[in-house]
Amino acid sequence: MIQVENEQQSFEEWYIQVIRIYHAINQLTESYGLNYEQYLILKKVSQDNAIEVMKLAQILAVSNPAISRKVNVLYGKKLITKERKDESDQRKVFIALSETGQQVTRRLTAQLDELLRAYQQQHHTDLGQLFDETKQLESFLAKEIQKMD
């Protein structure tokens, strides 16, 4: 029983560290009037010339109404453009980065790359292993939680 309690305590401490990392990264993105999640949306859009909003929802694992709200905020900041390629289906909205959105995404990407590179050099570590372990944990939790429902 003690080992289980220690594991739960370790998990809780890890989770708190993840939250602190999230807030630290948000400090950087906030200098552009964004949070990190908004930056991730811009980054995904930059990787595709014009992406359908519903496809973006699937990629980011959020609901259609949630992605619509997030996209509308970025549209209001003039970081993305919207286009309906099929006038008969109003749900099919494609988005792309505006010129300002491209500039912001490039700058933030460069700054985040610099931060991660500095971390790797300072700590002589490969973040790929950390990412792999996090993916495994996410997959495990999703399966186990689904069993509990």
Side-chain angles (χ1 to χ4, degrees), residues 98-111:
S98 66
E99 184 61 39
T100 303
Q102 290 173 22
Q103 292 172 3
V104 167
T105 303
R106 274 195 301 270
R107 287 184 196 138
L108 262 173
T109 299
Q111 289 176 326

Side-chain angles (χ1 to χ4, degrees), residues 8 11 14 20 50 76 79 89 93-94 103 105 115 124 142-143:
Q8 185 170 357
F11 180 81
W14 170 82
R20 287 181 179 154
L79 297 171
D89 188 351
V93 177
F94 290 81
Q103 292 172 3
T105 303
L115 277 175
H124 307 288
K143 289 176 189 173

Side-chain angles (χ1 to χ4, degrees), residues 99-143:
E99 184 61 39
T100 303
Q102 290 173 22
Q103 292 172 3
V104 167
T105 303
R106 274 195 301 270
R107 287 184 196 138
L108 262 173
T109 299
Q111 289 176 326
L112 289 165
D113 285 349
E114 186 179 322
L115 277 175
L116 293 174
R117 206 174 9 264
Y119 177 84
Q120 287 178 309
Q121 289 174 351
Q122 191 174 39
H123 296 281
H124 307 288
T125 186
D126 177 16
L127 291 175
Q129 181 181 354
L130 174 64
F131 299 146
D132 289 343
E133 289 176 15
T134 302
K135 285 180 192 176
Q136 289 174 7
L137 177 60
E138 175 194 16
S139 177
F140 172 80
L141 289 173
K143 289 176 189 173

Side-chain angles (χ1 to χ4, degrees), residues 51-128:
I51 187 169
E52 188 178 356
V53 173
M54 298 311 145
K55 180 180 177 190
L56 188 60
Q58 291 172 343
I59 291 169
L60 298 174
V62 297
S63 69
N64 292 343
I67 197 65
S68 291
R69 286 190 300 272
K70 295 171 192 303
V71 162
N72 285 336
V73 169
L74 294 171
Y75 182 75
K77 294 179 183 223
K78 303 197 181 329
L79 297 171
I80 60 168
T81 61
K82 293 183 185 182
E83 182 181 348
R84 284 190 169 76
K85 293 190 177 183
D86 183 357
E87 290 301 323
S88 66
D89 188 351
Q90 293 294 312
R91 296 170 298 165
K92 280 198 168 193
V93 177
F94 290 81
I95 58 173
L97 293 182
S98 66
E99 184 61 39
T100 303
Q102 290 173 22
Q103 292 172 3
V104 167
T105 303
R106 274 195 301 270
R107 287 184 196 138
L108 262 173
T109 299
Q111 289 176 326
L112 289 165
D113 285 349
E114 186 179 322
L115 277 175
L116 293 174
R117 206 174 9 264
Y119 177 84
Q120 287 178 309
Q121 289 174 351
Q122 191 174 39
H123 296 281
H124 307 288
T125 186
D126 177 16
L127 291 175

Side-chain angles (χ1 to χ4, degrees), residues 6-43:
N6 288 340
E7 291 297 322
Q8 185 170 357
Q9 183 177 358
S10 293
F11 180 81
E12 290 165 1
E13 290 171 8
W14 170 82
Y15 185 80
I16 290 168
Q17 289 301 314
V18 168
I19 291 170
R20 287 181 179 154
I21 291 168
Y22 177 80
H23 289 300
I25 290 174
N26 268 334
Q27 286 179 337
L28 176 62
T29 59
E30 284 171 359
S31 66
Y32 293 90
L34 300 170
N35 60 40
Y36 188 67
E37 185 179 28
Q38 290 168 325
Y39 162 74
L40 288 178
I41 291 170
L42 294 175
K43 181 74 172 160

